[in-house]
Amino acid sequence: MKRKHKVLGTVLTASMLAASMAITASAVQITEDSAKTIALENVGITSEDILYMEAKLDYDDGKQIYEVDFLTKDYVEYDFDINAEDGTILYIEYDWKTAPISELGAKETVTLEQAKTLAIAHAGQTAETVTFKKTKTDWDDGRRIHEVDFYTADGKEYDYEIDAVTGTIIKWEYDTENYILMPQTVNPTPLPVPSQNEDNSSTEISEKEAAKAAALKHAGLSSANVRWGRVKLDYENGRLVYEGKFYYNNLEYEFEIDAATGVIVNWEIENYISIPQTVNPTPSAVPSQNEDNPSTEITGIEAAKAAALKHAGLSSVNVIWGEVKPDYEDGRLVYEGEFYYNNLEYEFEIDAVTGVIIDWEIDD
């Protein structure tokens, strides 16, 4: 299944998406198999079209949900959150892992305005029913893309990444729950942001430079050691935050600081230049995606977990493991997973062939 979405010919796609948002099951609690069926029917495929699929029951914002994730044979990854009570789809994420990248220097044929039109049509909306949250053109993984984010009057949020050369939709997200409509202000006033001292004392800060100082303190670095990216004041999920990034020793640090409380609400660290890690990987650790050969996959997952712990400087007795699984990312097989330690969430991606840690995030 090659899901290529162009600027032209989106009417059918839009109607299918709009109809799929209304899919519900009976009023009684649905089963795991029912949740899987809802997700597959939403996409319009069957179990024969996928490489793997998993579902688990979880709680989110006080309600019981099924998290359903699967990867198609064309390496399109879908993540669903489905209300376990009535089968309503609360969240969808689409990520085409192997979408072709245009040749270097290829001319943009899709404008940002055309990308906005495509995204609105794909979501089954009109220009009159949406409010744009973000529209910009950027580079991502060697690809020139248009980012288009908008929300509707009833609080549904849609985020798109569209190839600026081909018009292909690379990623999109649909979220019914997390966007909080905020009053619009011309110049929002920064609220005092206290730095996070270890003794919980509060040192008020109100300017961008003070937010940068708080981020550096959290990282244990000084301004002389880093190269700054953009730092700005923004609204995120209904609250005013400072968000920004800086670079140190081939690592990219991204942060969000709550402008009302000073709490660091998001903290990510990622290699922006691949650096070989001392993992001592071997290609034999790569898991096959054949369920008839579970021993190979177990060996690979355990090796990936050990590499992640070594990178974090922790041992297995100290952490609580989340999900760890093989996946296909940007044309290569990786292990991706998460674990928890001391109220922090660690997320990682490790190249299954080379053992290089290609993504590393720490989130409060």
Side-chain angles (χ1 to χ4, degrees):
M1 178 191 68
K2 293 285 185 183
R3 294 177 66 97
K4 295 185 180 180
H5 306 278
K6 302 292 184 180
V7 171
L8 301 178
T10 60
V11 176
L12 179 60
T13 303
S15 62
M16 291 174 62
L17 178 66
S20 70
M21 299 306 179
I23 295 177
T24 58
S26 61
V28 299
Q29 179 153 327
I30 65 173
T31 65
E32 179 179 308
D33 286 341
S34 296
K36 290 180 178 180
T37 298
I38 290 170
L40 290 174
E41 289 181 350
N42 175 272
V43 178
I45 62 176
T46 70
S47 58
E48 300 298 320
D49 301 313
I50 61 177
L51 293 173
Y52 76 82
M53 186 176 200
E54 57 188 4
K56 65 179 181 180
L57 198 59
D58 201 355
Y59 279 94
D60 184 46
D61 292 332
K63 65 169 64 74
Q64 208 168 25
I65 64 168
Y66 282 103
E67 296 180 352
V68 181
D69 304 334
F70 56 91
L71 182 69
T72 72
K73 291 181 178 178
D74 288 326
Y75 297 105
V76 176
E77 184 177 64
Y78 288 89
D79 298 333
F80 282 78
D81 287 352
I82 298 174
N83 191 318
E85 181 178 342
D86 60 13
T88 301
I89 296 174
L90 304 174
Y91 174 83
I92 308 173
E93 181 178 353
Y94 165 101
D95 188 357
W96 188 5
K97 299 291 188 179
T98 57
I101 299 178
S102 302
E103 294 182 2
L104 186 64
K107 183 179 179 180
E108 293 181 20
T109 60
V110 180
T111 67
L112 183 57
E113 286 302 314
Q114 287 175 314
K116 289 166 64 176
T117 300
L118 170 59
I120 291 172
H122 182 269
Q125 303 290 330
T126 66
E128 293 73 27
T129 61
V130 306
T131 300
F132 286 100
K133 177 183 173 186
K134 178 178 72 174
T135 58
K136 71 174 185 178
T137 305
D138 204 353
W139 288 97
D140 184 38
D141 293 329
R143 188 195 311 271
R144 191 69 168 165
I145 61 168
H146 298 305
E147 296 182 12
V148 180
D149 301 350
F150 55 87
Y151 59 90
T152 60
D154 56 353
K156 295 182 176 65
E157 183 178 3
Y158 300 80
D159 300 338
Y160 285 84
E161 292 186 9
I162 299 173
D163 192 302
V165 176
T166 66
T168 302
I169 294 178
I170 307 301
K171 296 181 182 179
W172 59 264
E173 294 182 38
Y174 162 80
D175 194 344
T176 65
E177 294 189 303
N178 291 332
Y179 196 81
I180 300 174
L181 301 179
M182 296 295 298
Q184 299 298 312
T185 58
V186 177
N187 292 306
T189 301
L191 301 178
V193 180
S195 62
Q196 291 181 308
N197 296 328
E198 292 181 359
D199 59 0
N200 293 323
S201 61
S202 174
T203 305
E204 291 190 353
I205 61 174
S206 59
E207 302 294 336
K208 182 191 299 184
E209 291 302 316
K212 291 164 68 173
L216 287 174
K217 182 174 182 179
H218 188 74
L221 299 171
S222 68
S223 58
N225 298 328
V226 307
R227 178 168 58 88
W228 283 99
R230 187 180 183 189
V231 179
K232 65 178 182 177
L233 192 65
D234 197 7
Y235 277 108
E236 185 73 28
N237 292 331
R239 59 184 166 190
L240 198 63
V241 299
Y242 292 101
E243 62 179 31
K245 63 176 65 176
F246 60 89
Y247 304 88
Y248 169 73
N249 196 25
N250 294 326
L251 295 176
E252 179 186 63
Y253 293 74
E254 294 189 57
F255 61 87
E256 291 180 5
I257 301 176
D258 189 300
T261 66
V263 173
I264 295 179
V265 294
N266 191 32
W267 183 261
E268 300 179 6
I269 306 173
E270 181 176 352
N271 285 327
Y272 70 94
I273 299 177
S274 294
I275 302 174
Q277 308 291 324
T278 55
V279 176
N280 193 26
T282 59
S284 61
V286 179
S288 66
Q289 296 187 6
N290 184 348
E291 294 181 355
D292 294 332
N293 189 15
S295 61
T296 303
E297 182 172 327
I298 291 173
T299 301
I301 287 176
E302 292 304 316
K305 289 165 71 173
L309 287 174
K310 183 175 182 179
H311 188 74
L314 299 171
S315 68
S316 59
V317 297
N318 298 328
V319 307
I320 299 173
W321 283 101
E323 181 183 31
V324 180
K325 65 180 182 180
D327 197 5
Y328 201 83
E329 185 77 25
D330 296 331
R332 58 183 164 190
L333 193 63
V334 300
Y335 294 103
E336 61 180 30
E338 60 191 34
F339 62 87
Y340 304 86
Y341 170 73
N342 196 25
N343 294 322
L344 296 175
E345 179 185 47
Y346 293 74
E347 295 186 55
F348 61 88
E349 288 183 6
I350 301 176
D351 190 297
V353 176
T354 67
V356 172
I357 295 178
I358 54 179
D359 193 11
W360 184 262
E361 299 179 8
I362 305 173
D363 196 357
D364 290 326

